[in-house]
Coordinates of all heavy atoms in Angstrom, one line a residue:
D7 N -5.6 9.5 1.2 CA -6.3 10.8 1.7 C -6.5 10.6 3.1 O -7.4 9.9 3.6 CB -7.6 10.9 0.9 CG -8.3 12.2 1.2 OD1 -7.9 12.9 2.2 OD2 -9.3 12.5 0.6
S38 N -20.7 7.6 2.4 CA -20.7 6.3 1.8 C -19.7 6.1 0.8 O -19.1 5.0 0.7 CB -22.1 6.1 1.2 OG -23.1 6.1 2.2
I77 N -5.4 10.2 15.8 CA -6.2 11.5 15.6 C -6.0 12.4 16.8 O -5.9 13.7 16.6 CB -7.6 11.1 15.5 CG1 -7.9 10.5 14.1 CG2 -8.6 12.4 15.6 CD1 -9.3 10.0 13.8
L86 N -0.9 23.1 19.2 CA 0.3 23.7 19.6 C 0.6 25.0 18.7 O 1.3 25.8 19.1 CB 1.5 22.7 19.5 CG 1.5 21.6 20.4 CD1 2.7 20.7 20.1 CD2 1.6 22.0 21.8
I101 N -5.9 14.6 31.4 CA -5.2 14.6 32.8 C -5.5 13.2 33.3 O -6.6 12.6 33.4 CB -5.9 15.7 33.7 CG1 -5.7 17.0 33.1 CG2 -5.1 15.6 35.0 CD1 -6.4 18.2 33.9
L112 N -11.7 17.2 41.0 CA -12.5 17.8 39.9 C -13.6 18.8 40.2 O -13.8 19.8 39.4 CB -13.2 16.6 39.1 CG -12.3 15.7 38.3 CD1 -13.1 14.6 37.6 CD2 -11.6 16.7 37.2
Q120 N -14.7 26.8 34.7 CA -16.0 27.5 34.2 C -15.8 28.9 34.3 O -16.3 29.7 33.5 CB -17.2 27.0 35.1 CG -18.5 27.7 34.7 CD -19.7 27.2 35.4 OE1 -20.2 26.2 35.0 NE2 -19.9 27.8 36.5
I151 N -1.8 14.0 37.9 CA -1.9 14.4 39.4 C -2.1 13.2 40.2 O -2.8 12.4 40.0 CB -3.2 15.3 39.5 CG1 -3.1 16.5 38.6 CG2 -3.2 15.9 40.9 CD1 -4.4 17.4 38.6
L154 N 2.7 10.2 43.2 CA 3.4 9.4 42.1 C 4.9 9.5 42.5 O 5.7 10.1 41.7 CB 3.1 10.1 40.8 CG 1.6 10.1 40.3 CD1 1.4 11.0 39.3 CD2 1.1 8.7 40.1
H171 N -1.8 8.6 56.1 CA -2.8 7.7 56.0 C -3.5 7.5 57.3 O -3.0 7.8 58.4 CB -2.2 6.3 55.6 CG -1.9 6.1 54.2 ND1 -0.7 6.2 53.6 CD2 -2.8 5.8 53.3 CE1 -0.7 5.9 52.4 NE2 -2.0 5.7 52.1
R178 N -19.5 1.0 65.8 CA -20.2 -0.1 66.5 C -19.6 -0.3 67.9 O -18.6 0.3 68.3 CB -20.1 -1.4 65.7 CG -18.7 -1.9 65.5 CD -18.5 -3.0 64.4 NE -17.2 -3.4 64.2 CZ -16.3 -2.9 63.4 NH1 -16.7 -1.9 62.7 NH2 -15.1 -3.5 63.3
Q208 N 0.9 1.2 47.3 CA 2.2 1.4 47.8 C 2.3 1.1 49.3 O 3.3 0.6 49.8 CB 2.8 2.7 47.5 CG 3.0 2.9 46.1 CD 3.3 4.4 45.7 OE1 3.4 5.2 46.6 NE2 3.2 4.8 44.5
H219 N 1.4 -7.8 58.4 CA 0.6 -8.5 57.4 C -0.9 -8.5 57.7 O -1.3 -8.9 58.8 CB 1.1 -10.0 57.3 CG 2.5 -10.2 57.0 ND1 3.0 -10.0 55.7 CD2 3.6 -10.5 57.8 CE1 4.3 -10.2 55.8 NE2 4.7 -10.5 57.0
T230 N -14.7 4.5 45.5 CA -16.1 5.0 45.5 C -17.1 3.9 46.1 O -18.1 4.3 46.7 CB -16.6 5.4 44.1 OG1 -16.2 4.4 43.1 CG2 -15.9 6.7 43.7
R247 N -5.8 10.7 54.6 CA -6.6 11.5 55.6 C -7.6 12.5 54.9 O -8.7 12.6 55.3 CB -5.7 12.2 56.5 CG -6.4 12.9 57.6 CD -5.5 13.6 58.6 NE -4.5 12.8 59.3 CZ -4.8 12.2 60.3 NH1 -6.0 12.2 61.0 NH2 -3.8 11.4 60.9
D263 N -6.0 7.2 63.6 CA -4.7 7.3 63.1 C -4.1 6.0 62.8 O -4.4 5.0 63.6 CB -3.7 8.1 64.1 CG -4.0 9.5 64.1 OD1 -4.7 10.1 63.3 OD2 -3.7 10.1 65.2
F281 N 7.1 20.2 27.2 CA 5.9 21.2 27.2 C 6.1 22.2 28.3 O 5.1 22.8 28.6 CB 4.7 20.3 27.4 CG 4.4 19.4 26.2 CD1 4.8 18.1 26.3 CD2 3.7 19.8 25.1 CE1 4.5 17.2 25.3 CE2 3.4 18.9 24.0 CZ 3.9 17.7 24.2
I294 N -4.1 24.6 38.2 CA -4.2 23.5 39.1 C -3.4 23.8 40.4 O -3.9 23.5 41.5 CB -3.7 22.2 38.4 CG1 -4.6 21.8 37.4 CG2 -3.3 21.1 39.5 CD1 -4.2 20.6 36.5
T297 N -5.5 26.3 42.4 CA -6.8 25.7 42.9 C -6.7 24.6 43.9 O -7.4 24.5 44.8 CB -7.6 25.2 41.6 OG1 -7.6 26.2 40.7 CG2 -8.9 24.7 42.0

Side-chain angles (χ1 to χ4, degrees):
D7 182 353
S38 296
I77 290 177
L86 294 176
I101 306 175
L112 284 182
Q120 179 175 275
I151 305 174
L154 302 165
H171 281 103
R178 57 191 183 275
Q208 295 164 11
H219 302 285
T230 46
R247 186 182 299 274
D263 289 339
F281 298 94
I294 287 173
T297 305

